[in-house]
Every structure is written in structure tokens, then in C-alpha cells.
């Protein structure tokens, strides 16, 4: 007992020891300093452009669920972050519990956030997978998806990677799948090329909302799903 107390006291002087450690958290930094974790903070601001973009994405997610075929559905969010978009919809929508959803996210702290958020829901059909969404290996057993979210991905990859990802969508999409995507920032200038690429290929437009700071699109896959090719790199964040 005394040894335990002494050991605890020793740790107080040990810079490596963090009694408040959170999986994935960078030691010494506050939560608000955690890159892709704090990136989500503007979603808490009712007046932010990010909140407007989130609302536009959620409108498309609700439209998908409202019109979805009966039975179990499969959703996959590529680089889901904290899933501020999909998770609230799964909680609130009558079809939410019929969606087997995968949140594919590299940052363990965002995954911790998601686990915490999920803990206070009745959803038992959501998997949080900490993995690199930029390689096809991470999709094994989780696709084809009826609903694929590409939100905030195209905005963070080079144009060549964006097109590689778009060309790979038949590996990820079930027949008739809906892809909901968003982009913003410097990548806005590539939004027209993204839309042309989708609509010139095997996607038809369901909705495209253009705002000065972002574009949110929803496209239906009209092509033939293809087999997932293992070991292929689709993108890397820049
Ligand atoms: C711009 S945020 C988008 C989050 C969410 N999709 C949204 O729109 O609110 C990008 C997210 O991708 C994650 N990320 C970055 N590279 C990744 C990779 N290779 N695989 C999976 N997630 C990645 C980051 O940790 C971050 O949470």
C-alpha cells in the first residue's frame, strides 16, 4: 500500500507519465491542441460555415434514409473524424438502427470520441475502425456500401489522389449506392472537375449544393460494383 503511494508520487515527477492519458492523445497537449480532434470544434458553433456544411451533408443523409430500400443497409464513412454528420442521423432517423455503419478513421482520439458518443446511444450496429482509409486493405469485409461518405476527404488530398479515389468507387459501392461528399478550401477549384468526373462516369446527380465556402454533393452509383483489389493505395492526406 505504502509502496503504491510512493510509486504514484514518483510518477508525479515523471514527465513520461500522464495520469489523464487518453488513447491517441499527444502527451502534454490539451485536447483543443490535437490537430484533427480540434478541427471539429467549429461544428459546435451554431453560426459557423462548417455547421452549415454539416447541415447540408445531413440533409443528404436523411434523404438517403428516407428513400432507402427496406432491410439492412450498409454505410461507410471514409475518414469519418468524429462522425458529427452521420452518427446523429443514425441516432435520430427511424431507419438508423438498420444501418450497419463503419467509421474509418486514423486518429485514435477521434475514435475515442466516437466510442464515447456511441456509449450513450442504443445503436449496436456501428463499428469504429482505426485504420488508414487510403488503402483498400482497410475496406476488406466492410464494403460494398449502400451509403458512402466522402466528407472532407477530397479537400485534403492532391487532385491526382482525388481522381484515383473516385475511380476506385466501384470497389466500395453497392449497386445503386449513394455517395455523399463535401469539399472546401483550396480544393473548391477542383469541385467542377470532381462533378464532371462523377457524372461523366457511372454516377448520376442527386444533388449539388454550391456555397461560397463549400460544395456538398450526392451522387447515385449507376455502374457495376467491382471486386475490392487488395493492397491498392487510394490517397494520402497532404
Ligand atoms: C477533414 S476531417 C473530416 C472529418 C469528417 N469526415 C467530417 O467531414 O466532418 C478529416 C479526417 O480524416 C482523418 N484522416 C486523415 N488521414 C486519414 C487516413 N489516411 N485514413 C483515415 N482517416 C484519416 C483525420 O484524422 C480527420 O479526422
Amino acid at each position: 500500500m505504502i509502496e503504491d503511494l510512493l510509486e504514484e508520487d514518483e510518477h508525479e515527477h515523471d514527465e513520461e507519465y500522464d495520469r489523464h492519458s487518453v488513447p491517441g492523445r499527444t502527451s502534454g497537449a490539451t485536447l483543443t491542441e490535437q490537430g484533427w480532434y480540434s478541427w471539429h470544434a467549429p461544428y459546435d458553433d451554431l453560426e459557423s460555415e462548417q455547421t452549415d456544411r454539416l447541415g447540408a451533408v445531413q440533409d443528404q443523409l436523411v434523404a438517403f434514409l428516407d428513400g432507402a430500400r427496406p432491410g439492412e443497409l450498409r454505410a461507410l464513412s471514409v475518414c469519418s473524424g468524429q462522425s458529427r454528420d452521420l452518427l446523429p442521423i443514425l441516432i435520430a432517423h427511424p431507419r438508423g438502427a438498420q444501418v450497419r455503419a463503419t467509421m474509418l478513421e486514423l486518429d485514435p482520439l477521434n475514435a475515442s470520441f466516437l466510442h464515447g458518443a456511441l456509449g450513450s446511444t442504443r445503436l449496436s450496429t456501428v463499428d469504429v475502425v482505426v485504420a488508414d482509409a487510403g488503402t483498400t486493405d482497410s475496406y476488406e469485409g466492410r464494403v460494398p456500401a449502400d451509403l458512402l461518405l466522402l466528407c472532407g476527404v477530397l479537400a485534403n488530398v492532391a487532385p491526382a489522389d482525388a481522381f484515383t479515389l473516385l475511380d476506385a468507387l466501384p470497389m466500395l459501392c453497392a449497386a445503386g449506392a449513394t455517395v455523399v461528399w463535401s469539399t472546401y478550401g483550396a480544393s473548391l477549384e477542383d469541385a467542377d472537375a470532381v462533378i464532371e468526373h462523377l457524372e461523366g462516369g457511372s454516377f448520376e446527380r442527386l444533388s449539388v449544393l454550391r456555397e461560397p465556402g463549400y460544395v456538398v454533393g450526392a451522387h447515385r452509383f449507376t455502374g457495376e460494383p467491382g471486386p475490392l483489389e487488395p493492397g491498392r493505395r487510394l490517397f494520402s492526406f497532404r
Side-chain angles (χ1 to χ4, degrees):
M1 177 87 172
I2 290 181
E3 284 82 4
D4 286 350
L5 286 173
L6 282 174
E7 200 178 318
E8 200 174 297
D9 192 47
E10 267 172 33
H11 282 313
E12 280 189 10
H13 306 288
D14 181 353
E15 283 178 18
E16 295 299 309
Y17 178 78
D18 180 359
R19 69 178 66 220
H20 303 295
S21 75
V22 175
R25 179 177 171 182
T26 302
S27 181
T30 66
L31 286 181
T32 53
E33 290 166 343
Q34 307 281 323
W36 285 121
Y37 184 88
S38 58
W39 178 88
H40 295 76
Y43 284 150
D44 295 325
D45 180 351
L46 293 181
E47 301 299 326
S48 74
E49 183 173 79
Q50 289 86 341
T51 305
D52 293 344
R53 189 183 71 227
L54 185 71
V57 168
Q58 289 184 325
D59 287 347
Q60 295 310 316
L61 301 179
V62 170
F64 166 79
L65 287 177
D66 285 349
R69 59 162 171 76
E72 190 181 87
L73 300 163
R74 198 181 253 205
L76 191 142
S77 180
V78 180
C79 302
S80 70
Q82 296 173 3
S83 192
R84 301 286 191 102
D85 40 26
L86 180 58
L87 185 58
I89 302 301
L90 295 182
I91 293 168
H93 197 282
R95 299 290 314 274
Q98 288 177 293
V99 180
R100 177 148 289 286
T102 300
M103 311 299 185
L104 206 47
E105 166 61 31
L106 193 58
D107 178 8
L109 191 58
N110 281 333
S112 289
F113 175 98
L114 261 174
H115 281 297
L118 277 164
S120 57
T121 76
R122 288 201 209 99
L123 291 172
S124 57
T125 52
V126 179
D127 289 332
V128 180
V129 178
V130 178
D132 178 3
T135 168
T136 52
D137 293 341
S138 300
Y139 296 81
E140 190 63 52
R142 306 191 175 278
V143 291
D146 302 296
L147 172 66
L148 192 79
L149 277 78
L150 290 184
C151 295
V153 181
L154 303 176
N156 287 290
V157 302
D161 276 7
F163 295 123
T164 301
L165 174 58
L166 297 180
D167 288 338
L169 289 178
M171 287 195 275
L172 311 182
C173 289
T178 293
V179 176
V180 176
W181 58 276
S182 69
T183 196
Y184 52 82
S187 297
L188 272 181
E189 64 190 40
D190 302 321
D192 284 335
V194 166
I195 292 165
E196 275 167 32
H197 205 81
L198 286 168
E199 295 177 5
S202 42
F203 285 87
E204 68 183 15
R205 181 184 303 210
L206 297 173
S207 164
V208 171
L209 175 68
R210 293 168 191 274
E211 291 291 338
Y214 59 87
V215 175
V216 171
H219 282 82
R220 180 183 289 121
F221 180 49
T222 56
E224 285 291 313
L228 188 69
E229 295 166 25
R232 267 195 59 195
R233 171 124 317 258
L234 303 177
F235 63 83
S236 302
F237 267 35
R238 42 182 178 195

